[in-house]
Amino acid sequence: MCLSCGCMEPDAGHGDPRHITMQHLVEAAKAEGLSVEQVWRNMAETMEKVRQGEVRSRVWNPEARGR
């Protein structure tokens, strides 16, 4: 998938740079010297903490549902 829409095309940006692609994860991993798998785990853990209210995001909150 473009990692955000569910299309199962990991490299497809669909002509819109707002979609998250595998390239974004690869570049994020390179920036921190991490594996792509670790970046994915970090994202999932952070998302869960935001969802549970343990960590706050300035641009999204679980109550906003879908935004």
Side-chain angles (χ1 to χ4, degrees):
M1 60 192 167
C2 68
L3 304 179
S4 49
C5 83
C7 67
M8 299 298 170
E9 297 178 31
D11 304 317
H14 307 297
D16 187 336
R18 295 175 294 178
H19 287 287
I20 300 168
T21 66
M22 190 61 74
Q23 186 66 38
H24 291 105
L25 295 184
V26 169
E27 293 301 321
K30 287 179 185 176
E32 290 297 325
L34 300 172
S35 69
V36 171
E37 292 84 357
Q38 184 63 54
V39 169
W40 185 261
R41 285 191 297 272
N42 292 347
M43 290 173 62
E45 181 180 351
T46 302
M47 185 66 180
E48 184 60 20
K49 288 182 181 287
V50 170
R51 196 182 67 73
Q52 293 176 357
E54 296 176 33
V55 174
R56 293 200 180 269
S57 167
R58 287 177 278 138
V59 297
W60 181 82
N61 67 68
E63 292 80 33
R65 298 277 182 225
R67 288 190 227 157

